[in-house]
Amino acid sequence: MNGQPLTGQAPDTTAAPLRLGTRRSALAMAQSGMVAREVTRLTGRPVELVEITTYGDTSREALAQIGGTGVFVSALRDALLEGRIDFAVHSLKDLPTAAPEGLLLAAVPEREDSRDALVAREGLTLGELVEKLAGAGRPARIGTGSPRRMAQLNAWARERGDRLETVAIRGNVDTRIGFVASGELDAVVLATAGLNRLDRSAEITEHLDPELMVPAPGQGALAIECAAADTALAAALAALDHAPTRVAVAAERALLATLEAGCSAPVAALAGWSHRSELWLEGVVGTVDGADLLKMSAHGPIVLDETAEQQAVALGRALAARLLDAGAAALMGERAR
């Protein structure tokens, strides 16, 4: 996790451990382990990881066909509501925008790098890869499971007059990078944050500039969720919250919610702070083939007080309304409800 280490209590080995629910993937375990260490530092209580298998982990279908990345969250939320775990850690970009009754988003820690990353053969950048393979008489084959990434990659290639083929893939980081190592694909696109958390940033051949590839709403951030009734734990977890990150992702998620688009829709959003009290937000909606890409931005002054999240949500909703007025719904196809 980013930021300065939090001063906390010495671990109390006699206290009952807090149960942290996590998916079984290497990335989920790494993220949850980071949070567990911070919670122990804060509370003095040991934290044990409880591995939970989600439908998204076992299904081999494309994410867009089984409900998007929200399928990674439901089993963890069920475990929380049933009292089998005390809190859960999610990749915030996987979290549906509608919060279930009885649960609380207790903390959003400081965001990691929000950019997407290219892992390509021979250490090539995207431009170098496309140019080299054009000389060989074929398009670059780039793997991703994200319609958002496909839309922006294809739009980039169309604008340059280049040929590029996006290939839908599933699997963990090892599996995806393995497609490149085996020669089955020329490159894959992954989240920089995940590669950093797995200590695999050395395999990145290019960080994709947000001018080319706007990330998913919430990308790079974590969400720590607990039962709303557990006020003591919620108060302890709140110490991990990073207000500037929480407010920025609130704007991104409000845009996504207002578009009524699911996690698998070709929608991108990124918010950040241009000054200490001004938030900017960029939103992108497109067709997967890249033929149409609608990009708009907005900004506004926001003071980091108790109303900051509501102000950010209003900014996200306003930008989404402008995108809808410009035809975003038709570009997304059938809007998820």
Side-chain angles (χ1 to χ4, degrees), residues 5-315:
L6 294 164
T7 302
Q9 305 176 34
D12 179 359
T13 56
T14 65
L18 291 165
R19 300 161 299 169
L20 192 169
T22 177
R23 292 171 55 203
R24 296 173 183 268
S25 74
L27 177 56
M29 295 290 285
Q31 293 173 166
S32 295
M34 290 161 44
V35 172
R37 289 188 290 274
E38 291 294 340
V39 171
T40 295
R41 190 199 313 273
L42 282 171
T43 66
R45 291 180 64 179
V47 176
E48 66 176 17
L49 300 186
V50 179
E51 298 179 18
I52 293 176
T53 300
T54 71
Y55 181 65
D57 294 315
T58 57
S59 173
R60 294 298 91 199
E61 298 174 81
L63 286 178
Q65 295 176 337
I66 59 174
T69 49
V71 298
F72 295 122
V73 173
S74 58
L76 289 164
R77 284 180 159 174
D78 288 345
L80 269 175
L81 291 168
E82 294 164 8
R84 290 184 280 121
I85 58 175
D86 299 304
F87 65 112
V89 175
H90 315 282
S91 291
L92 200 135
K93 69 182 179 67
D94 293 347
L95 206 64
T97 53
E101 188 175 351
L103 296 184
L104 176 71
L105 182 56
V108 178
E110 187 173 0
R111 193 178 210 161
E112 241 280 11
D113 194 325
S114 64
R115 293 174 296 177
D116 284 299
L118 187 78
V119 178
R121 55 183 285 193
E122 302 171 28
L124 298 173
T125 65
L126 180 60
E128 291 167 345
L129 179 68
V130 169
E131 183 178 343
K132 178 170 185 174
L133 293 177
R138 70 172 181 88
R141 301 183 76 244
I142 301 178
T144 174
S146 163
R148 168 191 64 84
R149 289 172 177 150
M150 290 181 178
Q152 293 182 91
L153 283 170
N154 287 323
W156 173 85
R158 281 175 177 269
E159 184 177 342
R160 289 167 49 102
D162 289 329
R163 295 174 63 209
L164 183 150
E165 180 185 350
T166 53
V167 181
I169 57 173
R170 286 287 312 273
N172 59 27
V173 170
D174 280 332
T175 299
R176 296 182 186 216
I177 292 178
F179 290 134
V180 180
S182 69
E184 186 174 344
L185 295 174
D186 301 304
V188 292
V189 180
L190 301 163
T192 294
L195 292 169
N196 287 349
R197 289 170 179 147
L198 288 170
D199 293 323
R200 300 188 68 168
S201 57
E203 296 176 71
I204 296 171
T205 59
E206 182 183 10
H207 291 287
L208 298 177
D209 192 290
E211 282 295 311
L212 184 162
M213 179 75 70
V214 178
Q219 184 162 310
L222 298 178
I224 305 176
E225 214 169 32
C226 71
D230 194 344
T231 54
L233 179 58
L237 294 174
L240 295 175
D241 197 68
H242 184 251
T245 297
R246 189 180 187 110
V247 171
V249 299
E252 297 166 13
R253 287 166 57 77
L255 181 145
L256 183 68
T258 305
L259 292 175
E260 299 184 15
C263 300
S264 62
V267 174
L270 180 64
W273 299 88
S274 52
H275 303 288
R276 183 168 294 183
S277 58
E278 182 168 83
L279 188 73
W280 55 263
L281 173 65
E282 185 166 31
V284 177
V285 177
T287 55
V288 172
D289 64 3
D292 293 288
L293 201 68
L294 188 60
K295 183 181 292 190
M296 293 185 176
S297 61
H299 61 89
I302 293 182
V303 178
L304 283 174
D305 59 16
E306 64 277 1
T307 69
E309 265 193 271
Q310 290 89 338
Q311 295 175 61
V313 166
L315 184 71

